[in-house]
Amino acid sequence: MRQHTHSDFPDTMERLLPMPSLVPSDVTDVPPEHALLTVDMKEYSKLPEAKMAPARADLDSMLSTVFAQCGIGDATLLGAVKDRGDGAIFVLPARHAARLIDPLLVHLGQALERREQTRLASAPTIRLRASVHVGPLAPPEHRGDAVNDACRLVDSDAARRAMTAAVDHGVLLAAVVSDTVFGRTVAAGRTPALKEHHFHRATARVEGKPGFEQVCWLLVPGLVPSVLAPYLTQDSGAVPDGRPSQAAQHSTKATTANESSGGVRQKGKASGKARLIQVGRDYIPSQEQS
């Protein structure tokens, strides 16, 4: 029997074969992934104008030192910083995502504490919200949804409530980690000092952005998740500023949380002037000095 060839059905074969794309490949290709660290100073806009530049200079100096402590040099950051006035967005190779959590968040919290202890009385306190995210960004301007999401995470209601908890307990940093980054770093065992039980799972939402709702993980260095939980309550147990109601505070204060996870003992209180300090692998309550 004679075999049919392409020439026997030229019109049919041409209709079945896909047409070459007229869209350039660099438009359809998924851009390379990058890690993003976003920092935002609490109430920066309320500072007197004369104090804004010095405060921002102090923040830039601290961040430069912290990046160096994490093995991230200026060459990595060159040309990949987006200024936000009251903060900045740092764009780094995706391989640095774990470092942006551990040890960077730990070092950043310590740097803020050192500055607070040595600042002049005329210099304002610097309190930071920070977010860590990862996603594809188109070079060279590093444009993409990942930047928008990183900003929304740091501006989210969850991050602001975590900052309220931090302020109430004398801590200067509140961080939010996207679920994508958390899965690739903390849950994957790539953060030696910070484990899953150090974070509080929450949902990030932004007022006026009804389409944005993402699972995130909150970290306030030195505070256990049980302390953050009352601040994240969405029912009548939370007052509008994100602080627990008096009833919720009384309930939490009356019960000291003894959580055991991975052999780590944690204690915490959600009210009063008690501040949680981590010593070695244990959390211990310590009275704030006035």
Side-chain angles (χ1 to χ4, degrees):
M1 180 179 292
R2 176 176 175 269
Q3 295 289 330
H4 294 291
T5 64
H6 178 197
S7 60
D8 292 322
F9 309 101
D11 295 336
T12 303
M13 293 300 295
E14 288 175 3
R15 287 197 299 269
L16 293 176
L17 291 174
M19 293 294 292
S21 175
L22 299 179
V23 182
S25 60
D26 59 344
V27 175
T28 57
D29 288 350
V30 177
E33 287 209 335
H34 292 77
L36 300 99
L37 171 71
T38 305
V39 294
D40 187 277
M41 280 190 279
K42 176 179 170 60
E43 297 181 344
Y44 177 79
S45 62
K46 295 182 180 180
L47 293 178
E49 185 178 357
K51 295 185 178 182
M52 286 183 172
R56 178 57 195 269
D58 285 354
L59 174 60
D60 291 344
S61 177
M62 284 188 289
L63 287 168
S64 179
T65 299
V66 167
F67 278 123
Q69 289 177 315
C70 298
I72 301 173
D74 292 338
T76 303
L77 299 171
L78 187 62
V81 180
K82 298 176 182 290
D83 195 298
R84 293 186 54 174
D86 55 357
I89 307 170
F90 296 89
V91 182
L92 301 92
R95 68 177 183 275
H96 291 309
R99 294 191 199 187
L100 294 182
I101 299 172
D102 181 11
L104 189 141
L105 294 179
V106 176
H107 287 321
L108 183 55
Q110 293 170 347
L112 289 166
E113 291 286 350
R114 286 194 298 270
R115 179 190 176 278
E116 181 66 12
Q117 293 168 6
T118 59
R119 69 179 174 87
L120 297 175
S122 59
T125 295
I126 293 181
R127 294 185 174 90
L128 282 184
R129 297 192 312 276
S131 73
V132 182
H133 187 42
V134 66
L137 296 177
E141 294 87 1
H142 301 106
R143 300 186 187 280
D145 289 340
V147 172
N148 297 331
D149 288 345
C151 293
R152 289 168 182 169
L153 282 168
V154 84
D155 291 334
S156 68
D157 180 69
R160 293 180 182 278
R161 287 172 180 261
M163 186 78 258
T164 299
V167 171
D168 285 353
H169 293 83
V171 182
L172 302 174
L173 174 66
V176 54
V177 178
S178 72
D179 193 48
T180 301
V181 172
F182 188 86
R184 297 181 185 180
T185 58
V186 181
R190 292 189 171 96
T191 51
L194 294 176
K195 307 300 181 183
E196 293 187 49
H197 60 264
H198 292 125
F199 295 80
H200 181 78
R201 188 181 188 273
T203 301
R205 301 181 182 89
V206 179
E207 184 177 358
K209 303 288 184 182
F212 179 80
E213 183 173 312
Q214 292 188 6
V215 172
C216 65
W217 299 82
L218 300 172
L219 173 72
V220 177
L223 296 189
V224 294
S226 60
V227 174
L228 297 180
Y231 291 83
L232 274 296
T233 302
Q234 296 296 322
D235 56 24
S236 58
V239 293
D241 66 355
R243 289 184 170 85
S245 66
Q246 291 185 354
Q249 289 187 33
H250 177 77
S251 175
T252 306
K253 184 177 180 180
T255 304
T256 300
N258 289 297
E259 301 174 351
S260 179
S261 178
V264 177
R265 177 172 55 87
Q266 302 179 78
K267 296 182 178 180
K269 293 183 179 180
S271 62
K273 298 188 71 176
R275 178 179 174 186
L276 294 166
I277 302 175
Q278 185 176 11
V279 179
R281 299 190 66 198
D282 291 337
Y283 287 91
I284 60 173
S286 172
Q287 288 296 122
E288 276 190 295
Q289 295 181 359
S290 57

